[in-house]
Amino acid sequence: MSFQLPEPQSNQAYVEVSALEAGIITMPLMIVFQGAGPKDTSVIPSLAFFLRHKQSGEHLMFDLGVRRDTEALAPRTQWLIKNHMPVEVPQTVEESLKKGGLHPEDVQTVILSHLHYDHVGRPESFTNAKFVVGPGGRELLEKGFPGNPESDILTSTVPLDEKRSRFLTHEEFNVSIGPFPRAHDYFGDGSMYIVNADGHLAGHINILARTSASGSWIYLGGDTAHDLRLLTGEKEVAEIVTPDGHKHCVHADKEKAIEHIKRVGSLLAVPKVHVLLAHDREWYEKNKNGDAFFPGVIPAV
C-alpha cells in the first residue's frame, strides 16, 4: 500500500495528545485472535485521550473509558462483565482529568470512537461538552436499551438533541488522507482528521492528528484491533463458531474490519507516525504512571 501523509504547511496547526487512565478489562483472547485457547486472557487498559488544539485552545476528549457504576449499564452489558469480561476502574476518566488539574466541565468536545460501554464512560459528567458520534451512531442509540431490552447500548448515552450532539454524516467524510479513503478534516486546518473506521460497529471512527508543526502524527485507533499483533499481521481476527453453528466475531462486519486493520497496519512502517490502540497493553505497561499521561503529553515522534 503506497501513500504519503501531507507535509506540514507554514505555521501548521496541530494538537497535543495525552493518555488518561479510564479502566482495566480482563479480555478473553479467543474473541480477539485465532488460535487462542478458552482460558487465555489478557489484562488490557481502556484508554481515553485528552486533546488540546494548540491554535484555538479547544479541549477535546476522545473516548471516556469505563464507568465505575457498571450497574447503570444495559443488562446485557452487565451480564457480559459478570460472566466473561470483568472490569476494574481504579481511576475514572473524570478522576484522571482532575488529577491533572482539569475538570470534566472544562471539556468542550467529546468525540466517541463508538458506543460500546468501555468507551463511553459517564457522558453526563461532561456538562458543557458537545458530543461527536460517527455515521450510524444515532440509529444505534435510537434502537438501544431500554426500548430494545436486548441492546447493549444505552439510548441515553449521549443526548439525541442536536444542540448537544453532532451526528456526523457519511457525506462529511469527503477527504482522502494517507491510506484512508474517507476522512473528515475536523478543524479545517489539517491538524486533526476523523477517519471512518468501518467494521467494528456502526459509527466507529478513529483520529489521525498532527502532534507537531514539523510533521509528526498520532493515530488513535479505538477498537480497530484489540491486540497490536493484528496490526502487524502476526495474528488473525478471531471468529468463534457456537455449538448451534452461529459465527461470532467481536467486529460487526469482519471483512470490513480486516480491511481497515490492514490500512491502519500500513502506518506502522511510516516514519513520524505513532499508532496507538485503545486497548494497547504493551504500550500501557511501558508508559503507565509516566509523562504520556495527563497532565503530561504523548511525545511527538
Side-chain angles (χ1 to χ4, degrees):
M1 191 178 293
S2 179
F3 62 86
Q4 287 186 322
L5 293 174
E7 293 293 326
Q9 303 297 309
S10 176
N11 298 315
Q12 177 64 59
Y14 64 97
V15 300
E16 291 180 335
V17 181
S18 306
L20 290 161
E21 294 275 1
I24 303 292
I25 301 170
T26 299
M27 175 74 73
L29 289 176
M30 65 184 300
I31 70 170
V32 175
F33 53 73
Q34 296 284 12
K39 294 184 179 181
D40 294 337
T41 61
S42 181
V43 178
I44 59 175
S46 190
L47 294 169
F49 298 93
F50 173 75
L51 296 86
R52 180 171 175 267
H53 185 243
K54 287 288 287 183
Q55 274 58 28
S56 68
E58 182 173 339
H59 295 164
L60 305 94
M61 290 292 301
F62 183 57
D63 283 345
L64 301 176
V66 185
R67 63 190 302 155
R68 187 174 283 137
D69 55 335
T70 56
E71 66 275 7
L73 297 168
R76 182 176 171 183
T77 304
Q78 293 185 50
W79 178 88
L80 177 71
I81 291 171
K82 181 179 179 181
N83 293 283
H84 297 290
M85 205 175 293
V87 302
E88 297 177 63
V89 189
Q91 192 166 293
T92 65
V93 74
E94 293 93 337
E95 291 163 350
S96 296
L97 284 171
K98 290 174 183 176
K99 185 177 178 181
L102 203 68
H103 291 269
E105 53 266 32
D106 298 326
V107 173
Q108 291 136 296
T109 304
V110 174
I111 301 172
L112 295 177
S113 66
H114 62 299
L115 297 170
H116 281 155
Y117 81 94
D118 54 322
H119 296 262
V120 301
R122 293 185 76 254
E124 58 267 35
S125 299
F126 294 80
T127 53
N128 295 320
K130 185 155 189 173
F131 295 90
V132 178
V133 180
R138 185 184 185 104
E139 290 75 9
L140 286 178
L141 290 167
E142 290 173 342
K143 296 176 181 177
F145 182 86
N148 175 5
E150 296 302 310
S151 177
D152 59 351
I153 291 166
L154 294 172
T155 294
S156 60
T157 298
V158 300
L160 293 174
D161 178 2
E162 296 199 3
K163 291 180 181 177
R164 287 292 317 279
S165 299
R166 178 181 174 187
F167 297 96
L168 296 170
T169 65
H170 289 287
E171 290 73 25
E172 289 179 276
F173 288 78
N174 54 11
V175 175
S176 175
I177 182 167
F180 307 109
R182 299 180 59 228
H184 171 69
D185 185 350
Y186 184 79
F187 287 105
D189 58 11
S191 63
M192 188 179 91
Y193 297 85
I194 298 179
V195 175
N196 182 281
D198 276 343
H200 180 61
L201 185 73
H204 188 228
I205 50 179
N206 297 167
I207 284 181
L208 175 64
R210 294 183 185 272
T211 52
S212 75
S214 59
S216 298
W217 298 83
I218 194 168
Y219 191 86
L220 303 177
D223 271 8
T224 293
H226 294 77
D227 190 288
L228 186 64
R229 288 171 290 182
L230 291 162
L231 295 187
T232 62
E234 296 169 72
K235 297 289 185 181
E236 295 182 1
V237 173
E239 187 170 68
I240 299 170
V241 181
T242 59
D244 58 4
H246 286 93
K247 292 181 179 180
H248 174 75
C249 181
V250 73
H251 301 293
D253 188 321
K254 180 184 175 185
E255 297 311 312
K256 284 186 177 180
I258 290 172
E259 181 181 351
H260 184 63
I261 286 169
K262 289 177 180 177
R263 293 184 188 280
V264 177
S266 69
L267 292 174
L268 296 174
V270 181
K272 303 186 78 171
V273 180
H274 182 183
V275 178
L276 185 50
L277 302 168
H279 303 298
D280 192 327
R281 181 179 63 84
E282 289 80 6
W283 183 88
Y284 177 73
E285 291 299 327
K286 182 179 177 182
N287 289 278
K288 64 182 179 180
N289 302 318
D291 292 340
F293 281 78
F294 189 72
V297 174
I298 298 172
V301 292

